[in-house]
Amino acid sequence: MATLKVPVHVPSPSDDAEQLRKAFEGWGTNEQLIIDILAHRNAAQRNSIRKVYGEAYGEDLLKCLEKELTSDFERAVLLFTLDPAERDAHLANEATKKFTSSNWILMEIACSRSSHELLNVKKAYHARYKKSLEEDVAHHTTGEYCKLLVPLVSAFRYEGEEVNMTLAKSEAKILHDKISDKHYTDDEVIRIVSTRSKAQLNATLNHYNTSFGNAINKDLKADPSDEFLKLLRAVIKCLTTPEQYFEKVLRQAINKLGSDEWALTRVVTTRAEVDMVRIKEAYQRRNSIPLEQAIAKDTSGDYEKFLLALIGAGDA
């Protein structure tokens, strides 16, 4: 006898808004209900919930969440509830502030987002902070970091697969010559890594490897303690194999004494709907332990439940 498939009921944004309102009411917050809703809705659905919530209750959902939640759980929920471009604008703005400054986060946003995503981040930044991301990065970074980061955040790379092999060969030689001479901040090095498409860069780095016998990042390890070289290696990894870059950030965040919750939260909330499946595979390969297990061991309570729900959300 054939079994009838019961259609799965997808709650409407107004259903979700109503349930979230209930989660905030009464004695204490229903954190599990917040997780059940927000960790299982995509970006468009979360935007709709925020809009409907504001219209129905005359309050900003984010402000309500801020009031009801605390600590790492609050930060994770707030970041994930934001629209991806708003979220990146918020993270980038934090990264230019004195006490939360981070060249790495600025690089990560510039290099791991598509050209259109980065453009949307810059638009969201304009709207929210009434200035440009480029001017803030230029103002808050100095020297060689400024020279690298401003072009990276200003880029609008070609997104297609077309590759010019002659160019790849000639630019591989330029990179090798400059790196051999330790001219790491040379204009040509900056120009190549900040303007070429990801496909073109991959072709250039393949040429570099085959022509000169070393991967470029190996040659950039001449001085392992040089912070600028570390950032430049991360730029190349982030542009060419983002899942490996994010696996390393997660590994370092989890293995760190006391763990780095901000890094853990940032990677999980920003990659959950992008390439989390590939990041989880890379993590398992590198550490012989599933990412879920590592996070569960390192976190607790509602924060743990929320992160685990997000990494189970899969690949968009």
Side-chain angles (χ1 to χ4, degrees), residues 26 30 58 64 67 86 99 103-104 138 167 213 257 276 294-295 308 313-314:
N30 185 341
C64 294
K67 202 164 65 184
E86 280 181 287
F99 295 109
N103 293 329
W104 285 75
L167 185 66
L257 194 63
M276 187 50 74
I295 287 176
L308 293 179

Side-chain angles (χ1 to χ4, degrees), residues 268 272 276-277 280 291-292 295 306-314:
V268 172
M276 187 50 74
V277 167
K280 280 158 71 173
L291 180 59
E292 292 92 327
I295 287 176
F306 191 69
L307 293 187
L308 293 179
L310 293 189
I311 67 167

Side-chain angles (χ1 to χ4, degrees), residues 7-8 14 27-28 49 76 103 115 143 195 219 225 244 260 279 284-286 289 302 304:
V8 178
S14 54
W27 294 102
I49 294 166
N103 293 329
S115 297
T195 65
D219 287 345
S225 61
Q244 287 178 23
D260 181 352
I279 293 168
Q284 171 87 46
R285 267 197 314 273
R286 177 69 175 70
I289 175 176
D302 296 315
E304 176 195 345

Side-chain angles (χ1 to χ4, degrees), residues 57-213:
Y57 304 107
E59 287 183 273
D60 181 351
L61 174 61
L62 293 170
K63 292 268 192 306
C64 294
L65 289 164
E66 212 172 313
K67 202 164 65 184
E68 297 292 332
L69 310 178
T70 57
S71 193
D72 294 314
F73 178 50
E74 176 196 342
R75 182 170 171 82
V77 172
L78 287 173
L79 280 178
F80 190 66
T81 305
L82 283 170
D83 177 77
E86 280 181 287
R87 183 199 301 138
D88 280 346
H90 173 80
L91 289 168
N93 184 253
E94 271 185 350
T96 63
K97 293 280 179 277
K98 188 177 179 182
F99 295 109
T100 48
S101 69
S102 171
N103 293 329
W104 285 75
I105 293 171
L106 294 170
M107 177 283 297
E108 193 178 285
I109 290 168
C111 296
S112 66
R113 283 31 168 189
S114 72
S115 297
H116 287 284
E117 285 165 350
L118 184 56
L119 182 62
N120 287 336
V121 174
K122 291 190 269 194
K123 286 178 181 172
Y125 201 96
H126 282 185
R128 174 77 179 80
Y129 302 107
K130 310 297 177 226
K131 47 194 169 167
S132 77
L133 174 59
E134 294 89 336
E135 70 182 294
D136 269 0
V137 172
H139 181 69
H140 292 285
T141 58
T142 55
E144 56 200 1
Y145 295 103
C146 185
K147 189 176 178 181
L148 175 64
L149 288 166
V150 172
L152 285 176
V153 297
S154 308
F156 191 82
R157 297 172 196 268
Y158 170 65
E159 288 281 326
E161 291 304 313
E162 285 80 359
V163 164
N164 179 331
M165 294 314 270
T166 311
L167 185 66
K169 205 170 177 180
S170 66
E171 291 194 334
K173 187 177 184 317
I174 292 169
L175 288 172
H176 185 260
D177 290 349
K178 300 299 179 187
I179 290 167
S180 298
D181 294 337
K182 295 187 164 38
H183 294 159
Y184 305 120
T185 60
D186 189 274
D187 290 351
E188 288 288 85
V189 175
I190 306 286
R191 175 186 65 76
I192 294 165
V193 299
S194 66
T195 65
R196 292 301 180 206
S197 75
K198 292 174 185 181
Q200 184 67 40
L201 260 180
N202 267 313
T204 299
L205 300 182
N206 285 339
H207 262 296
Y208 187 106
N209 204 345
T210 52
S211 302
F212 307 109

Side-chain angles (χ1 to χ4, degrees), residues 221-232:
K221 273 187 180 161
D223 179 357
S225 61
D226 185 314
E227 288 300 317
F228 178 77
L229 282 190
K230 280 183 194 170
L231 187 66
L232 189 54

